[in-house]
């Protein structure tokens, strides 16, 4: 891994103290509350969280996709040297698709049903570059080959509804790559797909990242899918990144109680069949009135009075691994304990067998 | 065998305790309407018109039937005639006020009747589906194929002039329109999982329609029906204008518009007044039905 | 506050039980459902038109008190099977035997069957009537079956308490005021209100967040024990299916590929499709990421299923014989497999070796 050389170059995505508030309803909703995130060139970062954690809102802010009138975005977003929040409408249109582009969970809603996929790609290319339709179509064909769509020539002339789910997702990736962006934003791109197709798309994303040097921000609620593609994990809760670090570190050695709880809640995390799953009690906080302390405190097993006083600052754990928690040591202990328990059961199992 | 009967059913072990009740759906809708300035404005105008219609006899400043050869076609603001006088010298203000009664009646009644009949037809077609649906809806389509103005005129013409026949023909015009909307929302609701779940628990079609379908379809149909009131008023005015609805000397806005059209060059403002009333009333109904529609959208 | 209905429920189960625990609660024989595709006028006259073979000859049993998991890709027919079992759609062929009686026969009329079999849907929002309060939704089923209103409401409140929603706070609320997890609890309570013996869970936890999913899975396990329920658990999430099921059935394009005890099936899949499905599961291990997808392409369309074994177009072990002969379900050691490799003398080159291995063991 060339982490050293990556660290040298400036990050291609840099988000500083991002705050997003929606003013549409009765009370303002603080969907994102101070997110710091940087993504290096050619790096894949997974933003992981449950519904309402602010992961998609953060992602959409990178393209400024929120309705302008009802949304207040504060902080600083810099992508490939452009100050995204300061862009005028002309520059913004140019930025979208050329610098950063996005793929969505449901391609059928994201693609235009009245044009063939090929037409949409050609149009997207020609909006950003002055080239002939024939040339643009040639590029589109290359893209289809790139995302491994079988018989690409024929599929270019297909309408979105004529394609199967996995094929549509590939077509949308091709469309997103049409103007050679440097950053690909993926919003739950595999959630609606079958497991057998999901893995194909994840592998494709990994390949594209490697070969095109794309930076990918991958939003998902599924840790399993994230492990397959991400170099780094960023776990979000109530609009903040509560834990961040290299994938291996976060998976093996989670230090935030929420990350640990999320992993233990997975059905494959259960130690044995019939054992109760470790569920997280309660529900996420109301984003319209967040507590003054740590937002996870009321559901946390390791909560202390200090947790309720103020929002915890990030604790550096080395190697780019950090967690916003006062009790990182307690979590570490719990992880060690469960590791011992697993080892014991496996010893027991081998003995009985 | 019937296990249900032999079941020792649990006795209510506690007195039914008090529970927190959420405000019902309709009180939520009302609360939203009360916060909507457009709805409040339109509602206030309609309320004023209804009050005027009910208490017309007490409120009239002058006799709306009293003619005067010397006061024909007087302008707005003429002494003793705040809104002028019509072609027979009758007080416009009094006639417009009394006209509210007939005009609102002609606007609302056919829609109300059509709402009941059309909803029943549409819900039946939508819930039954299949062949029943095809038969009902194709028949409806035949009626629907005629432009509503033409159909109303043709029916009134065939039935003969008079208020009763005008109401009947308007009702027939609106039934297919309401039935179509009712059919489409019912078809939608029928596909929802809660209707499937109700079927899966063994409920019969009438129970399902009563408990699960009606509550969810009547709202949208009602919204559509309120928007038809404006159309109905205009059509009724049109029929009166052609001499197929209300007969003179009864004041009705459409009829007044008709008789005053000869004065369009001499007293254009006076001649336009009944039209203004029709416009104000119909736009109020339209705005109110729009507000109602958005207030009934639970998710927003 | 204790639960009023648990004891009575078990009483019913014992009363109406037939054939002892060895007899399956539900037996499905040759279940078929074909949907006619919308066709043009000419096609109708000519009598042609395409058919979706959503479920194409499915046999299985659900034993008393077990959880049968059903997994497979989209279009494999698992949800259609659920709807057929609920009689929400009529089967094109096949029979369903519940507790020893054919469903729809005079001995077990549909209405009585429906009380004993209930379903929980995936979409927690659209499966609750938005105009009814939670308690009215739950009390609806029992009222249909003749329980007086007041009593049905008491039952609804007890069930709310049981699924972890405080009746005083939740009984009078409307569905849109609840979170997804809470709504799914309500749906579970609604399904239990008729005191069923079999509950069909059609992707019941798929739309929930992982932490909420764990809560609901725990709840389902508790309820099963408390009320002596039998589950048919449909899921696209193999981890969840493995966790909750006693036996698992794998479906592919309207047919059963493999059935067996969950642990055995996941540890040692027999059917090549099961193997491919399992290896598509993300590993959760950053050092052992998947390097190659087990299957290429999307699941094929059930409109024109391939001849022979339906999986032969994607199967890594397919041979010529697989496109000619359709395998049938073969039972061995509580496991059933529909694959020519596991059919001695089928003509597949692996078949002999497998037979020899079986013989040796």
């Amino acid at each position: 891994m060339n982490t050293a050389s990556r660290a040298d170059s400036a990050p291609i995505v840099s988000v500083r103290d991002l705050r997003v508030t929606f003013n549409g309803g009765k009370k303002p909703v603080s969907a994102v509350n101070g997110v710091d995130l940087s993504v290096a060139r050619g790096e894949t970062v997974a933003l992981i969280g449950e519904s309402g954690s602010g992961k998609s809102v953060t992602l959409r802010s990178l393209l400024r996709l929120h309705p302008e009138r009802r949304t207040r975005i504060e902080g600083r977003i810099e992508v490939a040297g452009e100050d995204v929040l300061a862009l005028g409408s002309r520059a913004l249109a140019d930025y979208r698709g050329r610098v950063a582009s996005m793929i969505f969970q449901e391609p059928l809603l994201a693609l235009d049903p009245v044009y063939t996929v090929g037409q949409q790609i050609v149009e997207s290319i020609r909006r950003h570059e002055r080239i002939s339709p024939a040339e643009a179509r040639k590029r589109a064909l290359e893209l289809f080959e790139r995302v491994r769509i079988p018989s690409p020539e024929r599929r270019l002339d297909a309408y979105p509804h004529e394609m199967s789910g996995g094929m549509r997702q590939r077509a949308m990736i091709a469309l997103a790559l049409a103007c050679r962006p440097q950053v690909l934003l993926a919003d739950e791109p595999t959630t609606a797909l079958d497991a057998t197709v999901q893995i194909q798309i994840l592998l494709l994303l990994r390949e594209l990242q490697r070969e095109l040097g794309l930076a990918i921000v991958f939003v998902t609620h599924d840790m399993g899918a994230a492990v397959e593609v991400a170099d780094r994990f960023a776990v979000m809760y109530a609009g903040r990144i509560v834990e961040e670090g290299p994938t291996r570190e976060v998976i093996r050695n989670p230090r935030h109680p929420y990350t640990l709880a999320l992993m233990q809640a997975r059905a494959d995390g259960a130690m044995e069949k019939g054992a109760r799953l470790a569920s997280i009690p309660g529900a996420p906080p109301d984003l319209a009135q967040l507590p003054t302390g740590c937002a996870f405190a009321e559901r946390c097993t390791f909560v202390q009075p200090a947790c309720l006083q103020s929002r915890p600052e990030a604790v550096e754990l080395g190697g780019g691994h950090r967690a916003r928690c006062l009790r990182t040591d307690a979590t570490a202990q719990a992880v060690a304990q469960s590791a011992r328990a697993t080892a014991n059961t496996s010893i027991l199992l081998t003995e009985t067998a | 065998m019937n296990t249900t009967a032999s079941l020792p059913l649990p006795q209510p072990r506690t007195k039914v305790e008090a529970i927190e009740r959420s405000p019902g759906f309709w009180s939520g809708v009302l609360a939203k309407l009360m916060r909507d300035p457009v709805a409040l404005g339109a509602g206030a105008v309609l309320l004023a018109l209804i009050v005027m219609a009910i208490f017309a006899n007490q409120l009239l400043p002058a006799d709306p039937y009293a003619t005067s050869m010397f006061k024909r076609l007087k302008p707005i603001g003429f002494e003793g005639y705040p809104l002028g006088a019509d072609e027979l010298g009758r007080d416009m203000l009094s006639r417009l006020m009394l006209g509210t009664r007939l005009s609102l009646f002609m606007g609302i009644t056919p829609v109300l009747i059509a709402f009941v009949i059309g909803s029943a037809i549409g819900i039946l077609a939508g819930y039954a589906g299949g062949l029943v649906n095809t038969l009902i809806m194709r028949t409806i389509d035949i009626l629907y194929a005629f432009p509503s103005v033409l159909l109303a005129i043709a029916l009134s013409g065939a039935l003969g002039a008079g208020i009763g026949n005008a109401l009947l023909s308007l009702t027939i015009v609106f039934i297919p329109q309401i039935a179509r909307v009712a059919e489409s929302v019912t078809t939608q609701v029928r596909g929802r999982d809660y209707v499937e779940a109700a079927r899966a628990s063994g409920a019969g079609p009438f129970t399902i329609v009563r408990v699960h379908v009606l509550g969810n379809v009547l709202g949208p149909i009602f919204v559509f029906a309120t928007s038809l009131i404006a159309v109905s008023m205009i059509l009724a005015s049109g029929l009166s204008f052609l001499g197929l609805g209300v007969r003179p000397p009864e004041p009705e806005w459409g009829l007044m518009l008709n008789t005053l059209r000869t004065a369009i060059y001499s007293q254009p403002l006076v001649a336009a007044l009944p039209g203004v009333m029709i416009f104000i009333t119909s736009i109020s109904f339209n705005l109110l039905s729009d507000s109602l529609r958005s207030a009934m959208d639970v998710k927003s | 506050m204790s639960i009023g209905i648990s004891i009575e429920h078990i009483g019913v189960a014992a009363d109406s039980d037939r054939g002892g625990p060895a007899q399956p609660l539900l037996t499905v024989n040759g279940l078929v459902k074909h949907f006619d595709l919308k066709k043009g006028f000419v096609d109708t006259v000519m009598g042609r038109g395409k058919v979706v073979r959503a479920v194409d000859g499915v046999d299985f049993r659900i034993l008393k008190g077990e959880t049968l998991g059903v997994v497979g890709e989209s279009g494999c027919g698992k949800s259609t099977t659920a709807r057929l079992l609920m009689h929400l759609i009529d089967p094109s062929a096949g029979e369903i035997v519940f507790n020893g009686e054919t469903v729809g026969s005079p001995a077990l009329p549909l209405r009585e069957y429906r009380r004993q079999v209930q379903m929980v849907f995936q979409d927690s929002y659209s499966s609750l009537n938005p105009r009814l309060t939670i308690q009215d939704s739950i009390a609806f089923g029992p009222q249909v079956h003749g329980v007086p209103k007041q009593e049905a409401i008491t039952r609804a409140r007890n069930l709310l308490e049981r699924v972890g929603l405080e009746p005083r706070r939740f009984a009078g609320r409307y569905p849109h005021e609840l979170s997804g997890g809470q709504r799914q609890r309500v749906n579970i309570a609604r399904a239990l209100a008729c005191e069923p013996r079999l509950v069909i869970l059609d992707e019941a936890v798929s739309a929930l967040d992982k932490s909420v999913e764990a809560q609901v899975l725990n709840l389902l396990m508790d309820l099963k024990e408390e009320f002596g329920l039998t589950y048919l658990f449909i899921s696209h999430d193999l981890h969840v299916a493995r966790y909750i099921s006693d036996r698992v059935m794998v479906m592919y394009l309207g047919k059963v590929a493999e059935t067996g005890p969950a642990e055995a099936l996941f540890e040692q899949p027999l059917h090549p499709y099961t193997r491919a499905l399992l290896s598509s599961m993300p590993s959760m291990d950053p050092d052992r990421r998947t390097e190659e997808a087990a299957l290429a392409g999307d699941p094929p369309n059930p409109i024109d299923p391939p001849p022979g074994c339906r999986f032969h177009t994607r199967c890594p072990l397919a041979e010529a014989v697989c496109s000619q002969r359709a395998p049938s379900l073969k039972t061995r050691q509580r496991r059933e497999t529909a694959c020519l490799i596991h059919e001695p003398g089928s003509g597949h080159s692996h078949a002999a070796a497998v037979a020899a291995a079986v013989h040796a063991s």
Side-chain angles (χ1 to χ4, degrees):
Chain A
M1 274 300 200
N2 49 350
T3 31
S5 67
R6 262 188 208 155
D8 294 341
S9 59
I12 189 155
V13 177
S14 156
V15 176
R16 289 285 156 260
D17 198 28
L18 178 71
R19 285 164 199 278
V20 182
T21 316
F22 295 117
N23 293 314
K26 283 181 208 161
K27 280 187 220 152
V29 171
S30 327
V32 176
N33 306 293
V35 159
D36 294 311
L37 181 73
S38 42
V39 183
R41 278 172 203 278
E43 185 187 37
T44 302
V45 174
L47 273 184
I48 293 165
E50 301 186 276
S51 37
S53 63
K55 55 187 193 306
S56 284
V57 177
T58 305
L59 193 74
R60 276 149 203 264
S61 302
L62 292 177
L63 279 188
R64 264 173 61 193
L65 289 179
H66 302 297
E68 304 259 334
R69 272 189 298 156
R70 289 186 285 126
T71 321
R72 205 173 71 231
I73 305 185
E74 293 158 292
R76 190 171 171 77
I77 301 175
E78 220 169 271
V79 179
E82 305 216 40
D83 182 356
V84 176
L85 296 183
L87 291 176
S89 63
R90 195 74 173 278
L92 185 65
D94 192 43
Y95 157 82
R96 289 177 182 161
R98 196 181 51 73
V99 179
S101 64
M102 193 159 191
I103 56 177
F104 298 88
Q105 177 174 348
E106 192 35 86
L108 202 52
L109 301 177
L111 292 169
D112 192 328
V114 300
Y115 294 101
T116 66
V117 182
Q119 285 170 332
Q120 294 180 51
I121 296 179
V122 167
E123 199 221 304
S124 172
I125 296 174
R126 297 194 64 212
R127 198 187 306 143
H128 290 278
E129 291 170 49
R130 301 176 134 257
I131 58 173
S132 74
E135 245 174 294
R137 190 176 159 91
K138 211 172 121 242
R139 274 256 299 273
L141 189 62
E142 281 166 21
L143 281 164
F144 262 42
E145 283 162 358
R146 187 72 273 243
V147 299
R148 296 175 189 277
I149 291 181
S151 41
E153 187 84 47
R154 195 161 54 83
R155 289 271 160 60
L156 270 180
D157 298 320
Y159 289 92
H161 71 269
E162 295 173 323
M163 299 177 133
S164 61
M167 210 62 81
R168 270 201 292 271
Q169 196 56 270
R170 285 172 196 270
M172 187 158 70
I173 294 173
L175 178 62
L177 297 179
C179 301
R180 303 182 174 128
Q182 295 158 283
V183 181
L184 184 66
L185 307 172
D187 190 2
E188 304 253 13
T190 62
T191 305
L193 301 174
D194 281 313
T196 51
V197 183
Q198 157 169 309
I199 194 74
Q200 298 173 36
I201 300 292
L202 292 175
L203 289 172
L204 174 67
L205 286 175
R206 221 155 79 192
E207 189 185 310
L208 292 171
Q209 175 215 1
R210 205 168 48 228
E211 291 177 14
L212 305 178
L214 276 177
I216 301 180
V217 185
F218 185 89
V219 160
T220 185
H221 69 280
D222 182 356
M223 281 201 165
V227 168
E228 290 290 344
V229 290
D231 302 314
R232 271 196 310 133
F233 262 41
V235 180
M236 289 193 70
Y237 187 79
R240 304 186 102 190
I241 293 179
V242 293
E243 179 161 10
E244 189 186 352
T247 301
R248 190 175 289 102
E249 266 301 297
V250 176
I251 288 286
R252 294 272 163 75
N253 207 2
R255 300 296 287 275
H256 194 285
Y258 176 65
T259 316
L260 179 64
L262 259 192
M263 287 171 60
Q264 287 176 338
R266 289 175 59 91
D268 55 332
M271 293 215 261
E272 57 182 303
K273 198 177 185 68
R276 293 179 69 78
L277 291 170
S279 61
I280 308 175
D286 183 357
L287 293 173
Q289 39 188 161
L290 283 168
T292 43
C294 169
F296 187 60
E298 62 167 306
R299 304 172 76 189
C300 182
T301 8
F302 308 127
V303 64
Q304 284 181 334
C307 298
L308 305 170
Q309 300 306 317
S310 64
R311 293 184 187 172
E313 288 305 312
V315 179
E316 292 290 341
L317 302 158
H321 188 182
R322 55 184 86 86
R324 287 179 186 273
C325 179
L326 300 174
R327 310 282 337 258
T328 47
D329 48 335
T331 314
Q333 236 167 35
V335 171
Q337 239 165 44
S338 84
R340 268 201 300 280
T342 322
N344 284 343
T345 35
S346 59
I347 290 166
L348 244 137
L349 285 175
T350 42
E351 274 172 3
T352 47
Chain B
M1 67 164 211
N2 189 348
T3 40
T4 333
S6 64
L7 229 174
L9 290 163
Q11 295 304 308
R13 46 187 60 241
T14 42
K15 270 270 174 222
V16 174
E17 40 184 330
I19 55 163
E20 288 173 22
R21 282 205 180 272
S22 293
F25 172 73
W26 289 109
S27 55
V29 169
L30 192 67
K32 272 191 208 158
L33 283 182
M34 297 304 272
R35 283 201 303 268
D36 179 355
V38 176
L40 283 181
V45 170
L46 291 176
L47 196 69
L49 285 170
I50 290 168
V51 169
M52 194 147 78
I54 294 171
F55 298 105
N57 288 340
Q58 285 77 28
L59 295 171
L60 290 182
D63 180 358
Y65 298 105
T67 57
S68 162
M69 288 306 283
F70 306 105
K71 302 276 172 58
R72 289 171 56 191
L73 289 175
K74 290 302 173 211
I76 293 173
F78 185 78
E79 198 191 344
Y81 295 84
L83 288 179
D86 71 1
E87 78 286 352
L88 294 175
R90 295 174 293 200
D91 180 36
M92 276 301 278
L93 177 61
S94 302
R95 284 186 70 75
L96 286 174
M97 284 172 72
L98 191 61
T100 316
R101 204 178 259 186
L102 264 178
S103 295
L104 281 184
F105 177 72
M106 298 288 288
I108 295 172
T109 318
V111 175
L112 214 59
I113 303 171
F115 174 68
V116 174
I117 301 174
S119 300
I121 295 175
I123 292 171
L124 173 68
Y127 192 78
L131 189 65
V132 178
N133 180 304
T134 312
L135 283 177
I136 295 179
M137 292 323 288
R138 292 302 83 82
T139 315
I140 291 282
D141 280 350
I142 295 173
L143 281 176
Y144 200 72
F146 297 99
S148 42
V149 183
L150 215 61
L151 186 64
I153 293 170
L155 284 170
S156 287
L159 293 168
I163 294 185
N165 286 341
L167 287 180
L168 182 62
S169 64
L170 286 177
T171 307
I172 296 173
V173 167
F174 292 131
I175 286 175
Q177 303 189 8
I178 290 178
R180 275 196 125 183
V181 171
E183 190 259 352
S184 84
V185 290
T186 308
T187 309
Q188 257 174 41
V189 166
R190 193 179 69 131
R192 300 267 162 80
D193 287 344
Y194 57 80
V195 175
E196 296 262 275
R199 283 175 59 210
S201 65
F206 287 104
T207 317
I208 294 179
V209 168
R210 182 172 56 81
V211 179
H212 293 291
V213 177
L214 279 186
N216 288 292
V217 301
L218 285 185
I221 305 175
F222 183 71
V223 168
F224 176 72
T226 35
S227 73
L228 283 182
I229 293 178
V231 181
S232 173
M233 281 191 50
I234 293 166
L235 281 182
S237 302
L239 288 181
S240 303
F241 181 93
L242 294 173
L244 290 170
V246 180
R247 299 225 179 108
E250 292 303 323
E252 196 266 351
W253 296 336
L255 187 63
M256 288 164 73
L257 204 57
N258 180 12
T259 50
L260 277 168
R261 76 180 191 281
T262 46
I264 196 81
Y265 296 110
S266 50
Q267 287 296 348
L269 289 180
V270 173
L273 277 176
V276 170
M277 290 305 286
I278 294 173
F279 175 75
I280 290 174
T281 318
S282 64
I283 203 135
S284 297
F285 272 116
N286 269 335
L287 289 175
L288 193 65
S289 92
D290 271 358
S291 301
L292 198 58
R293 190 202 317 273
S294 53
M296 279 171 45
D297 191 0
V298 175
K299 276 180 187 157
S300 69
Chain C
M1 176 166 167
S2 71
I3 312 310
I5 55 175
S6 59
I7 304 146
E8 285 84 5
H9 179 87
I10 291 163
V12 178
D15 272 352
S16 58
D17 207 355
R18 308 269 176 90
Q23 192 202 41
L25 180 64
L26 187 90
T27 309
V28 171
N29 292 323
L31 195 63
V32 175
K33 180 67 191 179
H34 291 177
F35 294 103
D36 287 329
L37 271 189
K38 279 236 164 87
K39 43 194 178 184
F41 177 70
V42 179
D43 291 333
T44 317
V45 172
M46 305 288 285
R48 40 179 208 214
K50 291 195 166 172
V51 173
V52 182
R53 296 168 185 272
V55 173
D56 208 13
V58 162
D59 309 282
F60 63 91
R61 294 169 311 284
I62 308 177
L63 305 179
K64 283 168 187 152
E66 78 166 347
T67 299
L68 176 68
V70 182
V71 299
E73 293 165 295
S74 51
C76 74
K78 49 190 198 296
S79 282
T80 310
T81 305
R83 272 157 208 269
L84 286 169
L85 288 188
M86 289 305 302
H87 266 269
L88 289 172
I89 45 179
D90 292 322
S92 311
E95 66 166 358
I96 301 169
V97 178
F98 182 80
N99 200 20
E101 306 284 2
T102 304
V103 175
S105 69
L108 183 61
L110 204 52
R111 194 180 152 87
E112 178 52 32
Y113 168 73
R114 280 183 164 157
R115 192 185 63 74
Q116 301 195 42
V117 182
Q118 288 287 311
M119 182 157 169
V120 179
F121 298 81
Q122 170 172 9
D123 184 345
S124 66
Y125 190 75
S126 91
S127 51
L128 287 173
N129 186 340
R131 298 277 184 280
L132 290 189
T133 58
I134 300 307
Q135 69 175 8
D136 287 344
S137 271
I138 301 174
F140 176 77
Q143 280 174 269
V144 165
H145 290 281
V147 176
K149 173 150 194 188
Q150 211 38 254
E151 210 172 295
I153 291 210
T154 310
R155 194 187 283 190
R157 293 198 186 157
N158 289 345
L159 276 167
L160 272 178
E161 172 106 38
R162 184 59 202 83
V163 298
L165 298 173
E166 200 188 321
R168 207 175 55 78
R169 276 181 59 208
F170 289 98
R173 293 222 200 159
Y174 288 88
H176 69 267
E177 300 172 295
L178 270 58
S179 71
Q182 290 170 335
R183 278 199 298 265
Q184 207 54 307
R185 286 168 189 269
V186 173
N187 279 314
I188 292 169
R190 192 250 312 267
L192 295 185
C194 287
E195 307 183 336
R197 298 188 64 189
L198 173 65
V199 179
I200 296 173
L201 300 145
D202 186 3
E203 302 276 7
V205 295
S206 303
L208 304 176
D209 275 325
K210 279 285 169 232
S211 65
V212 181
E213 177 187 279
Q215 292 173 3
V216 175
L217 285 176
N218 283 337
L219 173 68
L220 285 171
M221 305 273 268
D222 294 346
L223 292 171
K224 184 182 171 214
E225 193 161 318
E226 188 173 331
F227 297 105
L229 299 169
T230 302
Y231 286 155
L232 179 79
F233 191 94
I234 296 173
S235 179
H236 70 277
D237 186 333
L238 299 164
H239 292 299
V240 172
R242 176 183 194 166
Y243 170 74
I244 200 164
S245 310
D246 300 307
R247 287 194 309 130
V248 172
M249 174 162 90
V250 182
M251 289 184 73
Y252 187 77
L253 277 188
K255 284 195 179 281
V256 177
E258 180 170 2
T259 314
E263 282 313 303
L265 188 135
F266 276 77
E267 289 301 329
Q268 215 175 33
L270 294 179
H271 198 289
Y273 175 63
T274 313
R275 217 169 297 145
L277 205 57
L278 294 185
S279 61
S280 306
M281 289 157 68
S283 58
M284 276 301 273
D285 185 344
D287 293 322
R288 279 190 301 175
R289 285 179 170 184
T290 313
E291 287 308 324
E292 203 178 344
L295 291 176
D298 291 68
N301 203 321
I303 294 176
D304 260 323
C309 173
R310 302 222 157 152
F311 186 55
H312 83 260
T313 50
R314 297 166 89 197
C315 182
L317 302 174
E319 293 182 0
V321 64
C322 297
S323 59
Q324 290 148 15
R325 261 188 68 182
S328 55
L329 270 181
K330 294 283 176 232
T331 313
R332 184 162 58 80
Q333 293 170 345
R334 294 187 64 215
R335 300 185 64 174
E336 295 168 75
T337 318
C339 175
L340 294 179
I341 293 177
H342 297 277
E343 216 173 298
S346 63
H348 193 288
S349 62
H350 288 43
V354 169
V358 170
H359 193 73
S361 74

